[in-house]
């Protein structure tokens, strides 16, 4: 059965000290809650990874970077490579987030390199896709997301593709308080699963965890997570408070 995943994306928030405290609180709450059916992941800034891996029980709470370099190593000032991320003990990397595409010019070409490097370093990519408001208003979201996937992760071998999780995050729902309706989220995730099935076959499609992200919180998570194709969430704002995040983790 495919995994349920609730992953926090802290974005550019918290100092190392604050992040360590937050991670400890999440770890403690997850341990106390006895949740066993959900993979919990914290997507922290690069600077925090080593310290956070040291304070969480990695079997209960996984750790993700929010990006990695498109090159393996070398003269790329300021970049952090996939092998560096792996060496911290983190096991996941969020790739292709719309904020990286939009503000840092990430293209399908760069993302193909990042995904390949993440996989060759045994990191699990949480690969993001999702459309802007104008595309949704023009009702072109399916074609847009299809192209995003076709240009990137659909180039992988079936074996490599089956190592990824996918996160659908409509840009218009990120940080806006406007969640996609349950029907909109389910419809898109079912559509993505259908695309995966056409490309890689039904067995791989059924095993791929597909997450929803965008103003997901403890209140709307139960209804979202009850949908057949929603295998969890990628959580921004609500992952910055341990209790709020736990409320989402326990929404299943
Ligand atoms: P919010 O949950 O703050 O809307 O952010 C979603 C997101 O971008 C997670 O990657």
């Amino acid at each position: 059965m495919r995994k349920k995943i609730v992953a926090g994306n802290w974005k550019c928030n918290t100092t190392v000290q604050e992040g360590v405290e937050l991670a400890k609180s999440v770890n403690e709450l997850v341990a106390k809650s006895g949740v066993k059916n959900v993979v919990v992941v914290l997507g922290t800034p690069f600077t925090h990874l080593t310290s956070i891996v040291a304070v969480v029980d990695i079997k209960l709470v996984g750790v993700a970077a929010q990006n990695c370099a498109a090159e393996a190593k070398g003269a790329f000032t300021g970049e952090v490579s996939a092998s560096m991320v792996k060496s911290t003990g983190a096991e996941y990397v969020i790739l292709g987030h719309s904020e990286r595409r939009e503000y840092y010019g990430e293209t399908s070409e760069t993302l193909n390199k990042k995904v390949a490097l993440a996989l060759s370093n045994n990191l699990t990519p949480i690969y993001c896709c999702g459309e802007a408001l104008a595309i949704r208003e023009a009702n072109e979201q399916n074609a847009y997301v299809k192209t995003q996937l076709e240009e990137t992760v659909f180039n992988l071998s079936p074996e490599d593709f089956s190592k990824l999780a996918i996160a659908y995050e409509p840009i218009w729902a990120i940080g806006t308080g406007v969640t996609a309706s349950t029907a909109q989220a389910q419809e898109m995730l079912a559509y993505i699963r259908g695309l995966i099935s056409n490309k890689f076959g039904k067995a791989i499609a059924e095993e791929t965890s597909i997450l929803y992200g965008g103003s997901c919180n403890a209140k709307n998570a139960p209804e979202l997570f009850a949908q057949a194709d929603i295998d969890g969430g990628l959580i921004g704002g609500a992952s910055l408070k341990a209790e709020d995040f736990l409320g989402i983790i326990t929404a299943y």
Side-chain angles (χ1 to χ4, degrees):
M1 216 180 85
R2 57 183 180 256
K3 287 182 195 142
K4 310 283 185 204
I5 303 174
V6 175
N9 176 8
W10 292 0
K11 308 192 179 185
C12 189
N13 291 298
T14 74
T15 61
V16 173
Q17 292 75 17
E18 289 163 351
V20 164
E21 288 312 309
L22 176 56
K24 278 188 191 165
S25 302
V26 171
N27 191 82
E28 204 178 300
L29 290 176
V30 170
K32 261 196 218 149
S33 74
V35 172
K36 290 257 164 15
N37 58 340
V38 178
V39 176
V40 178
V41 179
L42 303 177
T44 85
F46 290 130
T47 43
H48 302 30
L49 293 172
T50 305
S51 314
I52 287 180
V53 167
V55 298
V56 296
D57 174 354
I58 211 81
K59 290 191 288 309
L60 279 185
V61 176
V63 180
Q66 299 169 18
N67 180 29
C68 70
E71 307 295 337
K73 62 177 183 173
F76 303 104
T77 302
E79 287 293 277
V80 176
S81 71
S83 66
M84 292 173 194
V85 170
K86 183 67 183 179
S87 71
T88 67
E91 295 168 301
Y92 300 84
V93 59
I94 299 167
L95 289 175
H97 192 282
S98 58
E99 287 152 16
R100 298 228 40 98
R101 294 178 192 254
E102 196 176 346
Y103 308 144
Y104 302 98
E106 281 194 356
T107 60
S108 295
E109 197 186 346
T110 341
L111 285 167
N112 281 330
K113 290 191 196 171
K114 293 186 178 196
V115 169
L117 283 162
L119 289 171
S120 65
N121 283 284
N122 292 318
L123 290 167
T124 299
I126 300 174
Y127 185 81
C128 305
C129 58
E131 80 288 350
L133 183 60
I135 295 170
R136 169 68 62 167
E137 283 175 347
N139 199 27
E140 286 166 2
Q141 64 276 7
N142 287 9
Y144 185 84
V145 167
K146 183 171 185 240
T147 303
Q148 279 187 321
L149 296 173
E150 280 177 349
E151 288 182 354
T152 55
V153 291
F154 280 9
N155 293 320
L156 293 168
S157 67
E159 192 196 341
D160 277 345
F161 183 85
S162 61
K163 295 173 185 159
L164 309 178
I166 302 288
Y168 167 67
E169 300 201 302
I171 298 170
W172 45 273
I174 295 178
T176 57
V178 181
T179 324
S181 71
T182 306
Q184 284 172 322
Q186 162 58 26
E187 196 182 346
M188 177 57 90
L189 269 57
Y191 172 70
I192 293 172
R193 200 176 305 284
L195 294 175
I196 298 170
S197 183
N198 290 342
K199 174 74 192 169
F200 295 109
K202 196 160 190 284
I204 289 182
E206 285 302 318
E207 284 302 308
T208 303
S209 298
I210 312 179
L211 317 182
Y212 166 78
S215 298
C216 185
N217 56 42
K219 220 165 147 218
N220 57 33
E223 196 183 316
L224 285 163
F225 292 0
Q227 304 305 305
D229 287 288
I230 303 184
D231 303 318
L234 184 55
I235 318 298
S239 71
L240 292 169
K241 287 211 182 100
E243 290 78 12
D244 293 354
F245 193 47
L246 185 79
I248 300 173
I249 293 164
T250 52
Y252 272 108

